[in-house]
Amino acid sequence: MAILWNSLILLFIVLVSLFLIRVLLFKTGLIYITNKWWRRFEDCFHVCQFFKVPEFSDGMQHNQLYRKVSVYLNSLTSMEDSDFTNLFTGKKSNEIVLGLDPNQVIEDDFLGAKVSWINERKLNRNTFVLKVRKADKRRILRPYLQHIHSVSDELEQIRKDLRLHINVRDDRDDGDHDDDDDNLRNGRWRSVPFTHPSTFETIAMETDLKNRVKSDLESFIKAKQYYHRLGRVWKRSFLLYGPSGTGKSSFVAAMANFLCYDVYDVDLSRVSSDSDLKMLLLQTTSKSVIVIEDLDRFLIGKSSTTALSLSGVLNFMDGILNTCCFEERVMVFTMNSKDQIDPAILRPGRIDVHIHFPLCDFSAFKTLASSCLGLKDHKLFPQVEEIFQNGASLSPAEMSELMIANRNSPSRALKTVITALQTDGDGRGSAAGRRLGDGGSRKSTDESSEHSGVLFSRDNTVKEFRKLYGLLRLKSHRNSPSLDSATAGHKDKSPSSDLASLQRDD
């Protein structure tokens, strides 16, 4: 009995001692010192090989591998466990970025092998030194470097600043040598930061359709080897069609933000010839969305101000040049209607995915009311639903602007929408309804006799809004060939849409 009692006391003392040692190690930081000593002890029994990645080559040119290694190492969680780590402000005001300190050591695990990196700085030259055990070198070195390449490329793609590129007119024949030199130096594209806030989370679209589009894009960006095995160019093309103001331009922005791709907006009125369009294509980059808006206007009634031919546009869509230099690109074409378009133009290969953007229905109205007014339900919703069932409809852009203008009073905003649907939306939800953006005038039934002094009062809201909206649309007709560009800077107001065809290549 005494022996058993003594054994229990001894066991208790051992457990308490282990607990105190663990607390001492973790609370005082001795665990990190112990791990460091243990690694040094292990290194005494292993032969290691070192590989240097200098920042500059012998010709003082930047070593691209050095930049990729830097991006990769800054993303490792082991960075936080290092003795010294620099903190920097990121591109966003509230973003904190970890950075390597000179002579800092970072450890990494790959395929069960442990490697370490040293940020070496000598004579004002930075070098990353990779230490690998010789027993692991043949097994992991090449796969590890390929892993660094792929991870750094993904991180740079996510973190890069997106750009919106627009083509400028070729003026090299007008005798202006300054512009000539500038075009030669910068090409035919001019760019600005792409800061459109539209995302797939903010656009008003059926959840199932939205998920199918996202899944299609995710499959595309991972299908490089599959496309090459089929002998096909790695690209995807979309057609967005529907009346003006239904959110096609905002949908393009959501695609670009989802893919982290730059946007190239091709203005066909500024293209002088078929060869000029080819040169624009040659100057685009991979990982980009190339957009041509209102393609139906060009196909049905080609403008006389450009020498661009229909054949040139078709070759731009899927010609030999397209197949040679169009890797990892998404093409998007917008139309008001595809009813009068030759089916050969819309065939797979030229157009892979068709997405219809209709006028608002009641489901889209509720999405807009939730987004613009913060309303999930309201006593006026049944009245709005009844009006929609009678065939009335407005574009998302019109309906959203009415809500935004009266956002301080949700009830007044809904009454304004009801008035607009009754006076300006009758019959527009039907197949025979008028097309928005056709340039035709609308017959107003608002007979308000007096101006109340408030721009968006209940009685005068529709009348004043139509004047403002018509003026904006008129300016858009005069200054830009794109009807949807007027909505590009607004928050997305797209209604529910249908994926008319979704033909996957992978």
Side-chain angles (χ1 to χ4, degrees):
M1 188 67 179
I3 296 176
L4 179 60
W5 180 252
N6 291 334
S7 299
L8 291 175
I9 293 176
L10 181 61
L11 179 61
F12 177 76
I13 293 174
V14 170
L15 292 176
V16 171
S17 300
L18 292 175
F19 175 76
L20 292 175
I21 291 173
R22 185 179 183 278
V23 171
L24 179 66
L25 289 175
F26 281 93
K27 291 295 184 179
T28 62
L30 291 176
I31 187 65
Y32 299 105
I33 299 176
T34 304
N35 288 336
K36 185 183 295 185
W37 288 348
W38 177 253
R39 290 192 297 267
R40 291 180 179 177
F41 177 75
E42 280 187 318
D43 289 342
C44 295
F45 298 93
H46 295 280
V47 179
C48 296
Q49 189 166 349
F50 297 85
F51 300 88
K52 290 188 174 183
V53 184
E55 184 177 7
F56 298 97
S57 62
D58 294 337
M60 292 305 294
Q61 294 187 358
H62 282 277
N63 183 0
Q64 295 299 319
L65 180 58
Y66 179 90
R67 177 178 55 81
K68 292 181 179 294
V69 171
S70 178
V71 172
Y72 174 77
L73 294 181
N74 288 335
S75 69
L76 295 178
T77 56
S78 57
M79 172 82 72
E80 301 175 3
D81 299 330
S82 300
D83 296 333
F84 301 98
T85 303
N86 295 317
L87 299 178
F88 301 98
T89 301
K91 294 179 179 179
K92 299 179 180 178
S93 59
N94 59 346
E95 182 182 13
I96 304 297
V97 179
L98 300 179
L100 292 169
D101 194 74
N103 300 319
Q104 181 178 349
V105 179
I106 298 179
E107 293 188 337
D108 193 16
D109 294 323
F110 184 75
L111 297 179
K114 291 186 176 181
V115 300
S116 62
W117 289 91
I118 304 173
N119 184 21
E120 189 177 87
R121 182 176 178 85
K122 293 181 179 179
L123 300 176
N124 293 327
R125 292 205 174 189
N126 297 320
T127 302
F128 288 124
V129 181
L130 172 63
K131 184 173 72 172
V132 184
R133 295 173 182 174
K134 281 195 172 183
D136 299 326
K137 184 190 71 171
R138 291 184 179 275
R139 180 172 64 91
I140 72 161
L141 183 60
R142 288 185 179 277
Y144 183 55
L145 294 177
Q146 292 174 355
H147 171 69
I148 291 175
H149 267 278
S150 61
V151 171
S152 62
D153 287 344
E154 291 178 3
L155 291 173
E156 288 182 332
Q157 183 66 21
I158 293 173
R159 297 172 180 174
K160 79 171 187 176
D161 292 329
L162 301 184
R163 307 286 296 181
L164 171 63
H165 303 263
I166 56 175
N167 59 305
V168 296
R169 194 178 299 277
D170 190 358
D171 296 327
R172 287 181 289 181
D173 296 331
D174 64 357
D176 190 341
H177 299 291
D178 292 336
D179 291 342
D180 199 20
D181 293 340
D182 184 65
N183 278 335
L184 290 174
R185 182 169 57 253
N186 298 323
R188 290 286 311 286
W189 295 101
R190 301 294 181 268
S191 67
V192 295
F194 183 77
T195 57
H196 199 293
S198 179
T199 66
F200 281 122
E201 285 67 36
T202 60
I203 60 176
M205 176 179 284
E206 292 178 358
T207 302
D208 179 64
L209 174 60
K210 188 186 304 184
N211 291 336
R212 291 171 64 190
V213 173
K214 291 169 65 176
S215 177
D216 184 78
L217 294 174
E218 288 173 344
S219 298
F220 165 75
I221 60 181
K222 298 175 182 177
K224 179 179 181 180
Q225 299 302 325
Y226 180 77
Y227 275 79
H228 287 182
R229 181 164 60 85
L230 294 179
R232 299 187 60 175
V233 62
W234 184 26
K235 72 179 182 70
R236 196 75 168 148
S237 54
F238 290 77
L239 172 65
L240 315 180
Y241 66 100
S244 178
T246 51
K248 299 186 291 294
S249 296
S250 294
F251 187 82
V252 174
M255 293 176 66
N257 287 323
F258 179 78
L259 294 168
C260 295
Y261 280 10
D262 288 342
V263 178
Y264 286 84
D265 187 3
V266 182
D267 186 348
L268 294 181
S269 67
R270 296 180 178 178
V271 179
S272 59
S273 63
D274 294 349
S275 60
D276 186 31
L277 186 59
K278 292 180 180 179
M279 290 304 299
L280 289 174
L281 178 60
L282 283 173
Q283 293 174 3
T284 62
T285 62
S286 61
K287 292 182 171 60
S288 60
V289 177
I290 300 178
V291 185
I292 296 182
E293 295 189 286
D294 297 310
L295 181 60
D296 53 334
R297 291 193 173 189
F298 177 86
L299 296 175
I300 296 174
K302 189 172 74 67
S303 173
S304 59
T305 60
T306 175
L308 182 63
S309 68
L310 175 60
S311 174
V313 174
L314 296 181
N315 287 331
F316 178 83
M317 297 173 73
D318 68 342
I320 186 65
L321 181 63
N322 184 298
T323 60
C324 292
C325 64
F326 216 66
E327 283 285 279
E328 201 172 1
R329 289 171 172 83
V330 173
M331 292 196 74
V332 182
F333 306 94
T334 71
M335 297 182 183
N336 279 359
S337 173
K338 62 176 184 176
D339 296 339
Q340 303 180 41
I341 305 300
D342 189 339
I345 297 173
L346 307 178
R347 66 166 176 80
R350 289 195 175 116
I351 304 292
D352 302 313
V353 181
H354 297 232
I355 304 178
H356 180 223
F357 287 74
L359 295 172
C360 270
D361 57 10
F362 181 65
S363 175
F365 160 79
K366 290 193 297 183
T367 301
L368 293 173
S370 175
S371 176
C372 299
L373 303 174
L375 295 178
K376 298 296 183 182
D377 196 8
H378 195 275
K379 63 182 181 181
L380 293 176
F381 275 17
Q383 184 177 352
V384 176
E385 184 177 13
E386 182 181 356
I387 297 174
F388 274 113
Q389 291 175 351
N390 292 332
S393 186
L394 293 173
S395 73
E398 290 177 308
M399 193 169 295
S400 297
E401 289 301 332
L402 290 173
M403 292 181 182
I404 292 172
N406 296 276
R407 61 186 178 274
N408 293 329
S409 176
S411 296
R412 185 173 68 237
L414 294 182
K415 292 176 182 178
T416 302
V417 169
I418 291 173
T419 303
L421 287 169
Q422 291 173 338
T423 60
D424 201 39
D426 293 343
R428 290 172 54 187
S430 62
R434 291 173 293 169
R435 286 179 51 194
L436 203 63
D438 58 2
S441 61
R442 304 175 195 165
K443 184 177 180 180
S444 174
T445 60
D446 188 279
E447 300 294 335
S448 212
S449 60
E450 276 186 47
H451 195 289
S452 64
V454 181
L455 181 61
F456 289 101
S457 66
R458 177 181 176 184
D459 294 332
N460 295 302
T461 297
V462 178
K463 180 179 179 180
E464 296 298 330
F465 172 73
R466 284 205 306 273
K467 290 181 180 179
L468 177 61
Y469 187 81
L471 178 61
L472 293 175
R473 190 173 55 187
L474 180 60
K475 291 183 177 180
S476 175
H477 276 249
R478 291 178 177 176
N479 300 331
S480 172
S482 170
L483 287 176
D484 291 307
S485 60
T487 62
H490 291 287
K491 183 177 180 181
D492 190 279
K493 309 169 185 68
S494 171
S496 303
S497 310
D498 298 314
L499 191 60
S501 63
L502 183 57
Q503 299 138 341
R504 296 184 181 277
D505 294 314
D506 47 285

